[in-house]
Amino acid sequence: MNYTKQIQDIAGRLFSEEKIDVFIGYRNTGFDENQVPVLINQYKDVDQLLFTDKSVFNLANYLKYEHTRNKRVGLVVKGCDSRALNLMLTENQVKREKLFIVGIACEGVVDETGGKAQNCVECVMPDAVVFDEMLGTPSGKRDYQENSDIRALDGKSLTGRQEYFEEVFENCIRCNACRHSCPLCYCSNCCIDQETATLYHGANTTSSAFHALMTWSLHLAGRCVDCRNCEKACPSHLPLHLLHKQNEKVIYENFQEHLAGMIQDDRGAFYKYSLSDPDDFIM
């Protein structure tokens, strides 16, 4: 999977025709084979752009910062990235007319071991769902797969599951890198910030960190697209997908097989209602 030349040509054309002010893509780190996001604002820099199976980050995250606000932006999105972008559009965080979206029919990116990333193996929609120009041959929607790590937890009791999660996340240092890297966490003031916490004090204890993470994950329930930007940003290498994939499974089973960002203007699981919805939670 290599769309480097096509993306350079598209970005160059957009700058030449003065249709964009900035283009968000990927470039080499300069010291290894990995890639980092890059924002370019002039034609002469388009040769920095590339796209391969090492283009792992969700670039939609950069639409929530000041350097792209109120500008005409070109960007590259894979399937999961475009689902996040769909939600940002639905939630009025970005304006569609300000964007030129290069969609990718993604074949999967690689993790640090060089193998296909777990979220790519389990991906339900590898193709961009919102785009102006598509690169590659779309393969279509796939059947939903329960995350293998969550499946392994099914045999635990609720108490055992709680103990497991507390142990796994005891190394959280409350840096909020996970939240800052998530395109769907865009509140200017967050209730779990250590500096301005309104629900939890800033103490860096296991209990405080775990409950802050739980609150964060619940704010993303029905909205997480499993791009795993949060895990890539975490300095403690925490398996944050465990929180989100557990929520995803419960919502998929109880809210008409809802998956976040798949449909344009779909406001989310909690805005849906059907007489066939399970009601065993009602007292």
Side-chain angles (χ1 to χ4, degrees):
M1 182 172 66
N2 190 322
Y3 298 115
T4 296
K5 180 64 167 59
Q6 295 97 313
I7 289 172
Q8 290 178 351
D9 289 345
I10 292 170
R13 184 183 79 235
L14 293 173
F15 279 117
S16 296
E17 296 174 356
E18 299 184 348
K19 290 183 177 180
I20 59 171
D21 303 306
V22 61
F23 192 92
I24 311 173
Y26 305 90
R27 66 167 175 81
N28 282 323
T29 62
F31 54 85
D32 60 23
E33 295 182 352
N34 292 315
Q35 299 174 24
V36 291
V38 62
L39 278 69
I40 61 174
N41 54 23
Q42 49 190 340
Y43 177 86
K44 70 180 185 66
D45 293 328
V46 299
D47 59 352
Q48 295 183 35
L49 296 169
L50 47 79
F51 189 97
T52 68
D53 59 4
K54 292 184 178 294
S55 304
V56 299
F57 297 101
N58 185 342
L59 302 181
N61 187 51
Y62 293 89
L63 295 174
K64 68 184 187 182
Y65 294 112
E66 287 303 316
H67 41 259
T68 57
R69 289 283 187 182
N70 300 316
K71 292 184 179 180
R72 298 169 301 166
V73 180
L75 79 160
V76 182
V77 293
K78 306 181 293 294
C80 54
D81 311 338
S82 71
R83 290 168 59 193
L85 179 55
N86 232 353
L87 285 168
M88 295 178 78
L89 290 165
T90 300
E91 296 171 4
N92 297 314
Q93 296 305 304
V94 290
K95 295 180 179 179
R96 183 65 178 89
E97 63 270 20
K98 293 277 189 179
L99 302 177
F100 188 96
I101 305 166
V102 182
I104 301 292
C106 185
E107 299 170 21
V109 298
V110 297
D111 59 21
E112 62 278 0
T113 69
K116 184 175 283 191
Q118 184 193 50
N119 56 324
C120 295
V121 173
E122 299 173 350
C123 180
V124 294
M125 179 49 75
D127 312 321
V129 295
V130 55
F131 59 89
D132 293 297
E133 193 162 338
M134 174 70 86
L135 301 181
T137 303
S139 58
K141 184 181 178 182
R142 301 171 182 170
D143 292 337
Y144 176 74
Q145 297 183 55
E146 180 183 355
N147 177 256
S148 55
D149 297 321
I150 297 302
R151 191 184 310 119
L153 292 172
D154 284 346
K156 292 182 180 289
S157 65
L158 288 178
T159 301
R161 198 173 300 173
Q162 177 184 347
E163 292 173 350
Y164 172 80
F165 276 112
E166 288 179 346
E167 179 181 356
V168 167
F169 295 113
E170 68 179 355
N171 292 321
C172 174
I173 60 173
R174 297 292 301 279
C175 68
N176 288 320
C178 54
R179 183 173 64 79
H180 289 299
S181 66
C182 177
L184 296 169
C185 286
Y186 45 71
C187 295
S188 56
N189 293 307
C190 178
C191 65
I192 66 169
D193 275 338
Q194 284 182 283
E195 297 84 359
T196 59
T198 55
L199 293 181
Y200 306 106
H201 59 74
N204 194 28
T205 63
T206 298
S207 176
S208 178
F210 176 68
H211 285 91
L213 283 174
M214 288 293 291
T215 299
W216 169 65
S217 72
L218 288 173
H219 285 187
L220 287 170
R223 298 170 69 236
C224 176
V225 299
D226 200 29
C227 68
R228 307 211 185 176
N229 250 23
C230 54
E231 286 193 359
K232 300 178 186 83
C234 178
S236 298
H237 306 291
L238 299 179
L240 296 165
H241 73 277
L242 292 176
L243 295 170
H244 303 309
K245 297 300 282 187
Q246 176 67 38
N247 290 338
E248 179 188 83
K249 175 193 171 185
V250 172
I251 289 172
Y252 183 82
E253 293 174 347
N254 291 277
F255 289 86
Q256 306 162 52
E257 300 185 347
H258 173 80
L259 292 169
M262 297 285 284
I263 303 172
Q264 185 177 355
D265 299 326
D266 184 356
R267 296 185 66 191
F270 302 129
Y271 290 91
K272 297 179 179 179
Y273 171 74
S274 170
L275 289 174
S276 63
D277 287 342
D279 59 4
D280 53 354
F281 63 92
I282 299 176
M283 300 295 289

